[in-house]
Amino acid sequence: MPQGSSQARTRTQRTGTRTGRPHRVAVIVDEGTNPFEVGVATELFGLPRPELSLPAPLYEVTLCAPAREVRMNHGFFTLTGVAGLDAVDDADTLVVPGRPDNVVPRGEAVLEAIRRTHARGARVMSLCTGSFALAEAGLLDGRRATTHWMWAGTFRELHPKVLLEPDVLFVDEDRILTAAGSAAALDLGLHVVRQDHGAEIANAVSRRLVFAAHRDGGQRQFVERPVPAVPEESLAPLLAWAQERLDAPLTVGDLAARAAVSSATLHRRFRTELGTTPLAWLTGERVALACRLIERGEERLDVVAARSGLGTAANLRARVRAGTGLSPSAYRRRFGPAAGEAVTV
């Protein structure tokens, strides 16, 4: 489930979403920044998406740095020609990637850019150990946050006032979001796309990434498990089969029978491949389908409940609220066909 309340989104966060201009994203590239997290931010928010046939880009990305040339982690390459840190002043969202030397203090210019971005109401999100920078800037004191599990002990020593949750993929505390590790940065990014533009667009972005459309933010980021001696057949055919039958009364037993395995074996394979249970996956897919139906304009909750396999309008309300933080009617107002008309800049 999303971490924190989706209902408390600010006007600044929504600026540019479903309006005449893209949502502006600034990415701080500091000395020693990890290239992967920078790549995640540009992949999620910076690429054109002609496959969506949208009238305008979803996001507009600017890389900014405290210097004209920035040496990346381990000196693999140097970025040049990026914008200065004043670019954060126009951003609706600020992304702070991680770097490996987390015990080394950040430059005051970077910390001040983070502080003033948050102070004016913009969304701030860190990827992997970028949470160290947010904590150093004072944004995380008394708040829930996460970071890469390898650095949890160091983080607690340096920032004891932060309510660290070291086992989760990401934490969404209203306008401050933190992702645990490199892959979790993708999870958090898709969570943000889903918040900004709805489930259908987030699913399209995930398909292009060839990445799971939604992993629960509270899911554990690291689980010790033995590597199978013989690779098992992918769950992909079973998932595709189930996704075509979400309106049917599918059970975990039905999935196990389709896969020709026991329910216990199916649970193990879901845990191994997807990091979740068959029932949780099935419920998540049904909620995602219900959200897509609402986005496309279906207003009858009993119809949405039946077509998504959630059964009743009461169950639909409970599941959508648990999965998105919004009631179906609130979700419709934000992401339905007429949502853009209700957003003002």
Side-chain angles (χ1 to χ4, degrees):
M1 310 301 174
Q3 305 297 306
S5 171
S6 298
Q7 295 170 303
R9 303 297 160 207
T10 64
R11 173 184 175 279
T12 302
Q13 178 176 328
R14 294 193 298 269
T15 298
T17 302
R18 294 180 179 267
T19 66
R21 71 163 177 81
H23 184 112
R24 296 180 182 132
V25 177
V27 183
I28 288 185
V29 187
D30 198 5
E31 186 75 15
T33 292
N34 291 326
F36 184 87
E37 281 84 56
V38 176
V40 167
T42 54
E43 176 78 24
L44 282 165
F45 305 122
L47 295 186
R49 303 202 177 275
E51 68 274 14
L52 297 180
S53 301
L54 298 172
L58 298 175
Y59 299 96
E60 179 183 281
V61 174
T62 301
L63 301 183
C64 59
R68 303 273 313 167
E69 294 188 357
V70 182
R71 184 173 178 267
M72 303 299 286
N73 182 13
H74 287 8
F76 288 130
F77 56 86
T78 299
L79 287 183
T80 61
V82 296
L85 289 178
D86 56 351
V88 306
D89 296 328
D90 293 325
D92 303 308
T93 293
L94 175 63
V95 179
V96 184
R99 69 180 199 188
D101 52 346
N102 297 300
V103 297
V104 178
R106 267 65 175 172
E108 184 56 33
V110 170
L111 298 179
E112 176 55 30
I114 295 171
R115 292 188 192 108
R116 72 173 185 266
T117 302
H118 176 255
R120 64 177 174 79
R123 179 170 56 196
V124 179
M125 56 187 290
S126 67
L127 307 181
C128 196
T129 56
S131 52
F132 279 80
L134 269 56
E136 195 173 347
L139 269 62
L140 299 181
D141 286 355
R143 291 179 177 269
R144 296 165 51 249
T146 192
T147 194
H148 194 290
W149 61 271
M150 286 183 64
W151 287 92
T154 302
F155 189 98
R156 282 199 175 100
E157 291 177 8
L158 293 175
H159 308 290
K161 296 181 180 179
V162 180
L163 307 179
L164 186 68
E165 297 189 3
D167 291 332
V168 301
L169 293 177
F170 61 83
V171 171
D172 180 346
E173 282 279 78
D174 191 16
R175 293 181 296 114
I176 301 178
L177 302 86
T178 52
S182 297
L186 287 167
D187 292 298
L188 178 57
L190 287 170
H191 169 74
V192 166
V193 174
R194 180 182 294 268
Q195 286 182 333
D196 290 347
H197 300 285
E200 189 154 14
I201 287 180
N203 288 340
V205 173
S206 72
R207 283 195 298 272
R208 181 160 164 180
L209 287 167
V210 196
F211 190 76
H214 177 70
R215 288 201 296 170
D216 176 53
Q219 182 177 315
R220 291 188 64 190
Q221 58 172 293
F222 179 75
V223 180
E224 292 279 6
R225 62 169 67 93
V227 176
V230 179
E232 297 183 270
E233 181 185 353
S234 171
L235 285 171
L238 175 64
L239 303 184
W241 177 84
Q243 285 167 333
E244 294 175 356
R245 295 163 175 81
L246 292 175
D247 59 336
L250 289 178
T251 65
V252 174
D254 295 329
L255 296 179
R258 176 68 183 183
V261 297
S262 67
S263 294
T265 296
L266 187 70
H267 271 81
R268 177 175 56 78
R269 289 181 58 185
F270 263 76
R271 284 291 188 189
T272 300
E273 292 192 33
L274 303 180
T276 189
T277 66
L279 182 58
W281 176 86
L282 194 56
T283 300
E285 290 298 308
R286 284 174 166 153
V287 169
L289 175 56
C291 290
R292 292 197 296 273
L293 292 171
I294 293 171
E295 290 171 25
R296 292 169 184 170
E298 180 55 68
E299 297 185 356
R300 298 164 296 176
L301 294 189
D302 56 339
V303 173
V304 174
R307 292 180 59 187
S308 62
L310 292 174
T312 66
N315 190 44
L316 170 70
R317 291 189 187 93
R319 294 297 184 180
V320 170
R321 183 178 290 278
T324 69
L326 299 170
S327 67
S329 58
Y331 191 91
R332 181 185 298 109
R333 286 194 297 272
R334 181 171 297 181
F335 299 119
E341 301 171 6
V343 178
T344 57
V345 180

